């Protein structure tokens, strides 16, 4: 069989494309979009094939019976071409799980510290501005800051990863009332900025997987980053825009 239709050869091309993108700082440029690198590589390699070509590649898959097909992917009236494509990409997704998770962990390590720092800074400003607030817990904010400091110092634990990812909830009470201008003014915050940072943290939460099962991998990725890459920047975004 031609190498151009050999499954593992084509998977190697995907891995090569992903590695090239990472080496060219695609994740550093936009950590929130890191996992899309894998999706784009898969599309580049497998995106424009015919049904017969998908079949030829599937014939080269070793231990094909070890893969499964999610029933909802297939409708009762789907054609063979649709079924073949759904089954094929289900196999590709399972085969690239390790690659996807690796990129997700690296992406979180690249983007979480700075984003969390900016969101925690907003929460710190909120309780300093309005100490009697029932919506912002000084204790929880302090714990999030301590966990982030440990991660940046490469001395963190899985619990620290979880706590920093949970910082998306630090302003949760306020976020439920976006139009409460009095409440936001009392805390000295701007809803739009808080929502932007909260949404960015939630992207990293999603990357961390169900039950944050990639927390150990994220810790490893953080420990592998250069100290200079983990230094937090005092950017305007870390200061409330009133």
């Amino acid at each position: 069989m031609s190498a151009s239709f050999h499954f593992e050869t084509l998977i190697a091309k995907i891995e090569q494309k992903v590695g090239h993108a990472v080496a060219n700082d695609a994740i550093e440029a936009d950590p929130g979009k890191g996992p899309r690198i894998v999706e784009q590589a898969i599309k580049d390699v497998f995106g424009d094939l015919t049904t017969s070509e998908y079949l030829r590649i599937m014939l080269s898959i070793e231990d094909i019976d070890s893969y499964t097909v999610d029933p909802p992917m297939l409708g009762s009236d789907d054609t063979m071409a649709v079924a073949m494509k759904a089954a094929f990409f289900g196999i590709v997704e399972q085969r690239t799980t390790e690659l996807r998770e690796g990129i997700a962990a690296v992406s979180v390590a690249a983007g979480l510290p700075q984003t969390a720092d900016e969101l925690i800074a907003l929460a710190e400003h909120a309780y300093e501005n309005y100490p009697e607030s029932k919506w912002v817990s000084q204790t929880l904010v302090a714990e999030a800051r301590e966990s982030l400091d440990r991660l940046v110092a490469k001395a963190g634990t899985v619990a620290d990863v979880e706590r920093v990812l949970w910082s998306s909830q630090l302003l949760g009470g306020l976020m439920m009332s976006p139009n409460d201008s009095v409440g936001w003014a009392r805390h000295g915050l701007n809803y739009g900025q808080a929502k932007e940072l909260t949404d960015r943290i939630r992207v990293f939460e999603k990357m961390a997987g169900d039950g944050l099962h990639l927390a150990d991998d994220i810790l490893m990725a953080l420990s592998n980053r250069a100290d200079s890459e983990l230094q937090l920047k005092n950017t305007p975004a870390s200061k409330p825009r009133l």
Side-chain angles (χ1 to χ4, degrees), residues 80-189:
M80 181 57 71
V82 172
M84 179 74 69
K85 189 171 182 179
F88 179 81
F89 280 103
I91 291 172
V92 171
E93 181 174 354
Q94 292 166 66
R95 174 59 181 79
T96 57
T97 294
E98 186 175 343
L99 178 63
R100 293 167 186 273
E101 292 184 344
I103 291 299
V106 170
S107 298
V108 174
L112 176 63
Q114 186 64 44
T115 304
D117 176 57
E118 294 173 14
L119 182 55
I120 293 169
L122 287 190
E124 290 168 337
H125 175 83
Y127 75 67
E128 288 168 0
N129 204 63
Y130 189 40
E132 60 269 36
S133 173
K134 63 179 180 179
W135 301 118
V136 182
S137 166
Q138 181 175 358
T139 298
L140 293 178
V141 174
E143 288 176 352
R145 173 62 70 189
E146 290 168 2
S147 286
L148 177 59
D149 288 344
R150 284 191 290 270
L151 291 181
V152 171
K154 300 185 181 181
T157 64
V158 166
D160 290 319
V161 173
E162 294 175 349
R163 190 172 291 110
V164 172
L165 285 168
W166 185 86
S167 63
S168 63
Q169 304 300 318
L170 289 177
L171 298 175
L174 284 170
M175 297 299 293
M176 291 189 295
S177 302
N179 297 320
D180 181 7
S181 58
V182 173
W184 284 95
R186 282 176 176 169
H187 291 83
L189 299 183

Side-chain angles (χ1 to χ4, degrees), residues 7 11 42 46 49-51 53-59 61 63-75 78-96 100:
F7 185 67
I11 291 294
I42 290 172
F46 291 129
L49 301 178
T50 65
T51 301
E53 288 171 334
Y54 286 127
L55 179 58
R56 289 180 67 184
I57 296 170
M58 289 180 76
L59 290 172
I61 299 175
D63 299 323
I64 193 170
D65 287 344
S66 65
Y67 295 99
T68 60
V69 179
D70 185 4
M73 294 174 63
L74 306 177
D78 281 340
T79 64
M80 181 57 71
V82 172
M84 179 74 69
K85 189 171 182 179
F88 179 81
F89 280 103
I91 291 172
V92 171
E93 181 174 354
Q94 292 166 66
R95 174 59 181 79
T96 57
R100 293 167 186 273

